[in-house]
Amino acid sequence: MFRYSYINSIGRKEINQDALLLQTARYQQHEILFAAVCDGIGGLTGGEIASSFVISQVAEWFSTEYANTLKEGKSILAIRQSLDDCLQRLNSEINTGTPNGTEMGTTFTSLLIDTVNQVTLTGHVGDTRLYKIFPDSVEIVTSDHSVIAEEVRRGIITEEEALHDSRQNQITNCIGAGETDRMYDYIIQKPCTECTYLLCSDGFRKMITKEEIRTFLSPENNPDNDAIHEHLSALLDMNLQRNENDNITALAVRYIKESDT
């Protein structure tokens, strides 16, 4: 079974370019969860259109194409390919449908907890993130596709310098933005019952520390939906008090085996 909640705030912006998805389904007595966060990019409402479009389409993917892979007994590799086919199609459709040649696009980070196959599948592009939060540590599962993150990985700047770098919004990969040759990241793992999963946009994490995330979202402090929502809301308030100007979106999930309840 799952425990989960989310927050989504326009922050101090005029348009909310963040979008999120949280769906559950049952198959052969197994509960399955699919969650995603997008952070749109582009001028005016371009980012808002792109992020909302991708969320609506991956929701359809979960309900139809993914459901078909389960019925056909397909492997997680086939499910990964199916999701990639979907994202590649969305990349093409955003580029084709962009009005007046204006580029627009979106980041994307998703988490599928497939309890039928006892596996998780993460799809990722951009600087939205997936974390795994344990009682004593925080693991960033995804790698940011951004100018700053690339320079940190190459040793050009330090993580401390990256926190104050003016190029925070320069990403190197996304869905859309006029590019046709895209490669997305996929991570396959075993489901974790000892952690809290956190999906978030960059607006949620820039003004708070990993230690603050661990303190509020550690699994032992989040036994139910109400507790998760209370702690996400506290972190949202902390971001706003520290003058975060971006849209702020976060979604937290705990996977609890029924035998553990």
Side-chain angles (χ1 to χ4, degrees):
M1 66 182 69
F2 299 104
R3 300 287 183 262
Y4 48 78
S5 190
Y6 62 87
I7 53 96
N8 173 252
S9 171
I10 194 170
R12 292 180 171 85
K13 287 196 169 185
E14 295 183 0
I15 295 173
N16 192 347
Q17 295 188 323
D18 286 0
L20 64 86
L21 169 71
L22 198 158
Q23 289 182 294
T24 60
R26 295 197 72 87
Y27 181 72
Q28 294 181 348
Q29 307 305 311
H30 296 276
E31 188 177 16
I32 300 163
L33 181 139
F34 183 54
V37 169
C38 290
D39 182 358
I41 58 176
L44 300 177
T45 59
E48 181 185 22
I49 294 169
S51 61
S52 297
F53 174 68
V54 168
I55 286 295
S56 69
Q57 294 301 301
V58 295
E60 181 69 17
W61 171 84
F62 178 68
S63 299
T64 56
E65 295 167 59
Y66 168 68
N68 289 336
T69 65
L70 282 182
K71 294 173 185 176
E72 295 166 5
K74 296 288 184 67
S75 70
I76 189 61
L77 296 180
I79 295 169
R80 181 186 67 181
Q81 184 61 57
S82 175
L83 178 58
D84 187 63
D85 289 345
C86 174
L87 297 183
Q88 297 293 343
R89 173 177 57 81
L90 297 181
N91 183 72
S92 177
E93 290 183 9
I94 288 173
N95 290 337
T96 302
T98 300
N100 302 320
T102 303
E103 293 181 356
M104 65 179 181
T106 184
T107 70
F108 173 82
T109 304
S110 67
L111 172 67
L112 173 69
I113 304 180
D114 179 342
T115 58
V116 177
N117 297 299
Q118 279 298 301
V119 70
T120 68
L121 172 65
T122 300
H124 170 70
V125 62
D127 62 357
T128 39
R129 284 183 180 177
L130 172 67
Y131 292 80
K132 289 165 72 174
I133 302 153
F134 298 89
D136 300 316
S137 63
V138 176
E139 175 188 347
I140 304 173
V141 178
T142 50
S143 297
D144 292 350
H145 301 145
S146 68
V147 171
I148 293 173
E150 289 290 343
E151 292 191 358
V152 170
R153 286 192 284 268
R154 292 165 58 191
I156 297 173
I157 62 174
T158 66
E159 290 189 7
E160 179 65 26
E161 290 170 332
L163 294 174
H164 308 288
D165 198 293
S166 61
R167 299 167 295 168
Q168 294 287 342
N169 296 324
Q170 295 182 20
I171 65 172
T172 57
N173 199 6
C174 67
I175 300 173
E179 296 294 328
T180 57
D181 187 17
R182 295 291 194 190
M183 291 185 65
Y184 305 126
D185 294 347
Y186 297 96
I187 303 161
I188 297 171
Q189 297 179 325
K190 290 291 186 182
C192 175
T193 57
E194 297 82 25
C195 74
T196 303
Y197 290 101
L198 170 68
L199 290 156
C200 67
S201 62
D202 64 330
F204 179 78
R205 59 174 171 79
K206 288 183 293 187
M207 293 292 181
I208 58 177
T209 66
K210 286 202 295 184
E211 178 59 23
E212 287 169 334
I213 291 174
R214 186 201 64 78
T215 298
F216 281 92
L217 295 178
S218 187
E220 72 271 19
N221 297 330
N222 292 277
D224 53 41
N225 297 356
D226 290 341
I228 295 172
H229 187 74
E230 177 185 347
H231 293 140
L232 285 175
S233 297
L235 289 168
L236 168 61
D237 291 342
M238 192 179 296
N239 272 293
L240 293 173
Q241 289 165 8
R242 295 174 184 177
N243 297 317
E244 174 56 65
N245 292 317
D246 206 350
N247 305 143
I248 302 170
T249 299
L251 187 159
V253 176
R254 287 203 59 208
Y255 169 49
I256 304 170
K257 287 187 177 181
E258 295 190 14
S259 58
D260 296 336
T261 59

